Short mmCIF file of all heavy atoms in Angstrom, two decimals:
data_model
loop_
_atom_site.label_atom_id
_atom_site.label_comp_id
_atom_site.label_asym_id
_atom_site.label_seq_id
_atom_site.Cartn_x
_atom_site.Cartn_y
_atom_site.Cartn_z
N LEU A 186 23.72 14.65 -16.59
CA LEU A 186 24.76 14.22 -15.66
C LEU A 186 26.08 13.97 -16.39
O LEU A 186 26.10 13.39 -17.47
CB LEU A 186 24.32 12.95 -14.94
CG LEU A 186 23.16 13.11 -13.96
CD1 LEU A 186 22.69 11.75 -13.47
CD2 LEU A 186 23.56 13.99 -12.78
N LYS A 187 27.15 14.42 -15.78
CA LYS A 187 28.48 14.23 -16.33
C LYS A 187 29.07 12.91 -15.82
O LYS A 187 28.56 12.32 -14.88
CB LYS A 187 29.40 15.39 -15.93
CG LYS A 187 28.85 16.77 -16.28
CD LYS A 187 28.58 16.92 -17.77
CE LYS A 187 28.04 18.32 -18.08
NZ LYS A 187 27.66 18.44 -19.51
N PRO A 188 30.16 12.45 -16.45
CA PRO A 188 30.79 11.21 -15.96
C PRO A 188 31.31 11.38 -14.54
O PRO A 188 31.51 12.49 -14.05
CB PRO A 188 31.95 11.01 -16.95
CG PRO A 188 31.58 11.80 -18.16
CD PRO A 188 30.80 12.98 -17.67
N GLY A 189 31.52 10.26 -13.89
CA GLY A 189 32.11 10.28 -12.56
C GLY A 189 31.08 10.23 -11.44
O GLY A 189 29.88 10.04 -11.67
N CYS A 190 31.57 10.41 -10.24
CA CYS A 190 30.71 10.43 -9.06
C CYS A 190 29.77 11.62 -9.13
O CYS A 190 30.19 12.74 -9.44
CB CYS A 190 31.57 10.51 -7.80
SG CYS A 190 30.62 10.71 -6.27
N ARG A 191 28.52 11.43 -8.81
CA ARG A 191 27.54 12.51 -8.93
C ARG A 191 27.75 13.60 -7.88
O ARG A 191 27.23 14.70 -8.02
CB ARG A 191 26.13 11.92 -8.83
CG ARG A 191 25.87 10.89 -9.92
CD ARG A 191 24.46 10.37 -9.95
NE ARG A 191 24.33 9.40 -11.05
CZ ARG A 191 23.20 8.96 -11.54
NH1 ARG A 191 22.05 9.38 -11.02
NH2 ARG A 191 23.17 8.10 -12.52
N PHE A 192 28.52 13.29 -6.85
CA PHE A 192 28.77 14.26 -5.79
C PHE A 192 30.09 15.01 -5.99
O PHE A 192 30.42 15.90 -5.22
CB PHE A 192 28.78 13.53 -4.44
CG PHE A 192 28.87 14.42 -3.24
CD1 PHE A 192 27.92 15.41 -3.00
CD2 PHE A 192 29.90 14.27 -2.32
CE1 PHE A 192 28.01 16.24 -1.88
CE2 PHE A 192 29.98 15.08 -1.20
CZ PHE A 192 29.03 16.07 -0.98
N ASN A 193 30.83 14.69 -7.05
CA ASN A 193 32.20 15.20 -7.16
C ASN A 193 32.28 16.72 -7.27
O ASN A 193 33.26 17.33 -6.84
CB ASN A 193 32.94 14.53 -8.32
CG ASN A 193 32.64 15.15 -9.67
OD1 ASN A 193 33.20 16.18 -10.06
ND2 ASN A 193 31.74 14.52 -10.41
N THR A 194 31.25 17.37 -7.83
CA THR A 194 31.32 18.82 -8.01
C THR A 194 31.17 19.57 -6.68
O THR A 194 31.46 20.77 -6.61
CB THR A 194 30.21 19.31 -8.97
OG1 THR A 194 28.93 18.91 -8.45
CG2 THR A 194 30.40 18.70 -10.35
N ARG A 195 30.73 18.89 -5.63
CA ARG A 195 30.53 19.54 -4.33
C ARG A 195 31.39 18.94 -3.23
O ARG A 195 31.35 19.40 -2.10
CB ARG A 195 29.05 19.45 -3.93
CG ARG A 195 28.10 19.92 -5.02
CD ARG A 195 26.67 19.88 -4.56
NE ARG A 195 26.37 20.98 -3.66
CZ ARG A 195 25.25 21.07 -2.94
NH1 ARG A 195 24.35 20.11 -3.01
NH2 ARG A 195 25.04 22.09 -2.15
N CYS A 196 32.17 17.93 -3.56
CA CYS A 196 32.99 17.23 -2.57
C CYS A 196 34.40 17.82 -2.54
O CYS A 196 35.11 17.79 -3.56
CB CYS A 196 33.06 15.74 -2.91
SG CYS A 196 34.07 14.79 -1.76
N PRO A 197 34.85 18.35 -1.41
CA PRO A 197 36.17 18.95 -1.33
C PRO A 197 37.31 17.93 -1.39
O PRO A 197 38.47 18.30 -1.56
CB PRO A 197 36.16 19.67 0.03
CG PRO A 197 35.18 18.90 0.84
CD PRO A 197 34.12 18.45 -0.13
N PHE A 198 37.00 16.64 -1.28
CA PHE A 198 38.01 15.60 -1.32
C PHE A 198 38.17 15.00 -2.71
O PHE A 198 39.01 14.13 -2.92
CB PHE A 198 37.64 14.48 -0.34
CG PHE A 198 37.42 14.93 1.06
CD1 PHE A 198 36.14 15.09 1.56
CD2 PHE A 198 38.49 15.20 1.90
CE1 PHE A 198 35.92 15.51 2.86
CE2 PHE A 198 38.28 15.62 3.21
CZ PHE A 198 36.99 15.77 3.69
N ALA A 199 37.35 15.42 -3.68
CA ALA A 199 37.30 14.78 -5.00
C ALA A 199 38.67 14.73 -5.66
O ALA A 199 39.43 15.70 -5.65
CB ALA A 199 36.30 15.51 -5.88
N GLU A 200 38.97 13.56 -6.26
CA GLU A 200 40.19 13.36 -7.01
C GLU A 200 39.83 13.10 -8.47
O GLU A 200 38.65 13.06 -8.84
CB GLU A 200 40.97 12.18 -6.43
CG GLU A 200 41.38 12.40 -4.97
CD GLU A 200 42.08 11.19 -4.37
OE1 GLU A 200 42.21 10.16 -5.09
OE2 GLU A 200 42.48 11.26 -3.18
N ASP A 201 40.83 12.93 -9.32
CA ASP A 201 40.58 12.73 -10.75
C ASP A 201 39.66 11.55 -11.01
O ASP A 201 38.77 11.61 -11.87
CB ASP A 201 41.91 12.54 -11.49
CG ASP A 201 42.66 13.84 -11.67
OD1 ASP A 201 42.04 14.91 -11.51
OD2 ASP A 201 43.87 13.79 -11.95
N VAL A 202 39.86 10.45 -10.27
CA VAL A 202 39.03 9.27 -10.50
C VAL A 202 37.56 9.58 -10.22
O VAL A 202 36.66 9.02 -10.88
CB VAL A 202 39.51 8.09 -9.62
CG1 VAL A 202 39.34 8.40 -8.13
CG2 VAL A 202 38.80 6.80 -9.99
N CYS A 203 37.30 10.48 -9.28
CA CYS A 203 35.93 10.84 -8.94
C CYS A 203 35.24 11.57 -10.08
O CYS A 203 34.01 11.52 -10.21
CB CYS A 203 35.90 11.72 -7.69
SG CYS A 203 36.75 11.02 -6.26
N ARG A 204 36.01 12.26 -10.90
CA ARG A 204 35.45 13.05 -12.00
C ARG A 204 35.27 12.24 -13.28
O ARG A 204 34.64 12.72 -14.22
CB ARG A 204 36.35 14.26 -12.27
CG ARG A 204 36.51 15.18 -11.06
CD ARG A 204 37.39 16.38 -11.36
NE ARG A 204 37.58 17.20 -10.17
CZ ARG A 204 38.58 17.07 -9.31
NH1 ARG A 204 39.51 16.15 -9.53
NH2 ARG A 204 38.67 17.85 -8.25
N HIS A 205 35.80 11.03 -13.32
CA HIS A 205 35.75 10.26 -14.56
C HIS A 205 35.08 8.90 -14.42
O HIS A 205 34.63 8.33 -15.41
CB HIS A 205 37.18 10.06 -15.11
CG HIS A 205 37.87 11.34 -15.47
ND1 HIS A 205 38.76 11.96 -14.63
CD2 HIS A 205 37.78 12.12 -16.57
CE1 HIS A 205 39.21 13.07 -15.19
NE2 HIS A 205 38.63 13.20 -16.38
N GLU A 206 35.00 8.37 -13.20
CA GLU A 206 34.49 7.02 -13.01
C GLU A 206 33.44 7.00 -11.91
O GLU A 206 33.71 7.45 -10.79
CB GLU A 206 35.64 6.07 -12.66
CG GLU A 206 35.22 4.62 -12.52
CD GLU A 206 36.40 3.72 -12.20
OE1 GLU A 206 37.54 4.07 -12.59
OE2 GLU A 206 36.18 2.67 -11.56
N GLU A 207 32.27 6.51 -12.22
CA GLU A 207 31.21 6.46 -11.21
C GLU A 207 31.46 5.30 -10.26
O GLU A 207 31.66 4.16 -10.70
CB GLU A 207 29.84 6.31 -11.87
CG GLU A 207 28.69 6.42 -10.89
CD GLU A 207 27.35 6.57 -11.58
OE1 GLU A 207 27.18 6.02 -12.68
OE2 GLU A 207 26.46 7.24 -11.01
N PRO A 208 31.48 5.54 -8.95
CA PRO A 208 31.77 4.47 -7.99
C PRO A 208 30.61 3.50 -7.84
O PRO A 208 29.45 3.88 -7.92
CB PRO A 208 32.04 5.22 -6.69
CG PRO A 208 31.23 6.47 -6.82
CD PRO A 208 31.26 6.84 -8.28
N GLU A 209 30.94 2.25 -7.61
CA GLU A 209 29.93 1.22 -7.35
C GLU A 209 29.67 1.14 -5.85
O GLU A 209 30.53 1.44 -5.03
CB GLU A 209 30.42 -0.14 -7.86
CG GLU A 209 30.60 -0.21 -9.37
CD GLU A 209 29.28 -0.13 -10.12
OE1 GLU A 209 28.25 -0.57 -9.54
OE2 GLU A 209 29.27 0.37 -11.26
N LEU A 210 28.48 0.74 -5.51
CA LEU A 210 28.14 0.52 -4.10
C LEU A 210 28.84 -0.75 -3.64
O LEU A 210 28.61 -1.83 -4.17
CB LEU A 210 26.62 0.38 -3.95
CG LEU A 210 26.03 0.52 -2.55
CD1 LEU A 210 26.22 1.93 -2.01
CD2 LEU A 210 24.54 0.16 -2.57
N ARG A 211 29.74 -0.62 -2.66
CA ARG A 211 30.51 -1.78 -2.20
C ARG A 211 30.45 -1.89 -0.68
O ARG A 211 30.26 -0.91 0.03
CB ARG A 211 31.96 -1.68 -2.67
CG ARG A 211 32.68 -0.41 -2.26
CD ARG A 211 34.02 -0.27 -2.98
NE ARG A 211 34.66 0.99 -2.69
CZ ARG A 211 35.47 1.22 -1.67
NH1 ARG A 211 35.75 0.23 -0.83
NH2 ARG A 211 36.02 2.41 -1.47
N LYS A 212 30.66 -3.12 -0.22
CA LYS A 212 30.55 -3.41 1.21
C LYS A 212 31.81 -2.99 1.95
O LYS A 212 32.93 -3.31 1.52
CB LYS A 212 30.30 -4.90 1.42
CG LYS A 212 30.00 -5.29 2.86
CD LYS A 212 29.59 -6.75 2.95
CE LYS A 212 29.21 -7.11 4.38
NZ LYS A 212 28.75 -8.52 4.48
N ILE A 213 31.65 -2.27 3.07
CA ILE A 213 32.79 -1.87 3.88
C ILE A 213 32.67 -2.37 5.32
O ILE A 213 33.56 -2.13 6.13
CB ILE A 213 32.98 -0.33 3.87
CG1 ILE A 213 31.76 0.35 4.49
CG2 ILE A 213 33.26 0.16 2.46
CD1 ILE A 213 31.98 1.84 4.76
N GLY A 214 31.58 -3.02 5.63
CA GLY A 214 31.37 -3.53 6.99
C GLY A 214 30.09 -4.33 7.05
O GLY A 214 29.40 -4.48 6.04
#
Side-chain angles (χ1 to χ4, degrees):
L186 292 172
K187 306 301 180 186
C190 174
R191 300 185 179 195
F192 187 58
N193 82 81
T194 58
R195 309 183 75 191
C196 179
F198 305 101
E200 299 176 358
D201 284 344
V202 65
C203 306
R204 300 181 183 92
H205 297 98
E206 183 178 333
E207 187 167 32
E209 295 292 330
L210 196 66
R211 56 191 174 88
K212 187 173 183 178
I213 62 169

